[in-house]
Amino acid sequence: MKKVAVAVLASGEGSNYRALQAYEGAPYEIALLGTDDPRAPALSKAREDGLPTALLPPEGFPSREAWEKAMVEVLEESRVEWVVLAGFMRILGPFFLRAFPWRVVNLHPSLLPSFRGREAIARALQRGVSWTGITVHLVDEGVDQGPVVIQRPVPRLPGDDEESLTRRIKEAEHHLYPRALHALLEVPFRVEEGRLLWADERKVRLLCGEPF
Ligand code: GAR
């Protein structure tokens, strides 16, 4: 079966990029890694892997829309069909989202709608939560919102600090994100009133595993 060409956009470490790349049996092929930050370790990782990369620092553009147009052009040249945000720390506006309607997916290190935005793990710890988790969601124009694709809880364990909790959250992300993308590409869905509705929820559970 022909694989779906996806772009990964990342601004950070790129550990989720690597997990997406390593996932066996993927119905997708990463065609390109795009970044806004020349210092992002994700960029060096993709270059090491011999993957085409696009470095577009927004400072080089007169407006957000001009930056979005340039990024969309690069993605369209690579025939990208889905955009997978993996630690991409910029808000995508209407121009970009219209080019990929309900085909931009994001990963966030909390159980949304709790702890949207930056420093989600540190803020969850600071509030003393017993459980936090991860959310995969489709991207709309808000920050870390949009229809939930799938979530997984992650407990705060005694003695957890930001480093240890981040490590376990990332483990959960590396497992779930490629599988959630697999489900999005293979199980039909629709979005109604901000909610994602699967045509076959059992298949999603088979691909992603049971929540507990
Ligand atoms: C991940 O933990 C992801 O959930 C988070 O950035 C990290 C990227 O890690 N994303 C957000 O906070 C989005 N709001 P990585 O660069 O090692 O894949």
Side-chain angles (χ1 to χ4, degrees):
M1 207 166 70
K2 197 177 159 288
K3 297 198 175 201
V4 177
V6 306
V8 173
L9 301 191
S11 312
E13 283 303 315
S15 70
N16 281 286
Y17 151 68
R18 274 273 160 85
L20 287 157
Q21 194 67 287
Y23 176 63
E24 278 177 30
Y28 58 84
E29 183 174 24
I30 303 177
L32 177 106
L33 180 126
T35 187
D36 55 336
D37 186 349
R39 293 155 311 171
L43 179 62
S44 345
K45 287 190 168 86
R47 284 177 176 156
E48 274 165 28
D49 297 344
L51 191 75
T53 55
L55 167 60
L56 275 82
E59 303 77 52
F61 294 85
S63 64
R64 179 168 86 175
E65 183 155 323
W67 178 87
E68 290 188 2
K69 273 187 179 148
M71 188 56 103
V72 166
E73 242 174 67
V74 172
L75 301 183
E76 285 178 348
E77 271 165 26
S78 301
R79 304 195 177 284
V80 161
E81 290 172 67
W82 272 78
V83 179
V84 182
L85 308 183
F88 188 64
M89 293 307 192
R90 273 183 196 277
I91 296 163
L92 296 168
F95 182 87
F96 190 97
L97 296 175
R98 269 200 302 271
F100 298 96
W102 296 134
R103 281 185 284 119
V104 182
V105 58
N106 185 39
L107 174 65
H108 187 74
S110 75
L111 291 175
L112 291 174
S114 292
F115 306 112
R116 293 163 48 201
R118 290 177 183 264
E119 311 290 337
I121 300 173
R123 286 185 289 124
L125 272 174
Q126 201 207 348
R127 289 295 290 271
V129 299
S130 310
W131 286 88
T132 181
I134 59 177
T135 302
V136 177
H137 66 96
L138 298 181
V139 176
D140 64 13
E141 286 172 35
V143 179
D144 297 321
Q145 56 185 48
V148 169
V149 174
I150 200 153
Q151 296 184 301
R152 284 292 180 270
V154 175
R156 175 177 60 80
L157 298 179
D160 252 347
D161 57 15
E162 192 178 339
E163 195 187 321
S164 59
L165 185 54
T166 300
R167 197 176 330 113
R168 290 205 325 289
I169 283 197
K170 285 210 178 184
E171 267 171 36
E173 292 182 336
H174 299 163
H175 182 80
L176 187 65
Y177 205 21
R179 288 166 176 81
L181 181 58
H182 191 160
L184 283 169
L185 299 179
E186 287 200 348
V187 183
F189 67 86
R190 64 182 197 282
V191 175
E192 251 177 45
E193 294 174 5
R195 182 165 170 209
L196 184 150
L197 299 165
W198 297 104
D200 184 349
E201 199 147 5
R202 264 193 41 218
K203 189 162 179 202
V204 176
R205 283 177 163 251
L206 279 175
L207 284 169
C208 298
E210 300 293 323
F212 290 97

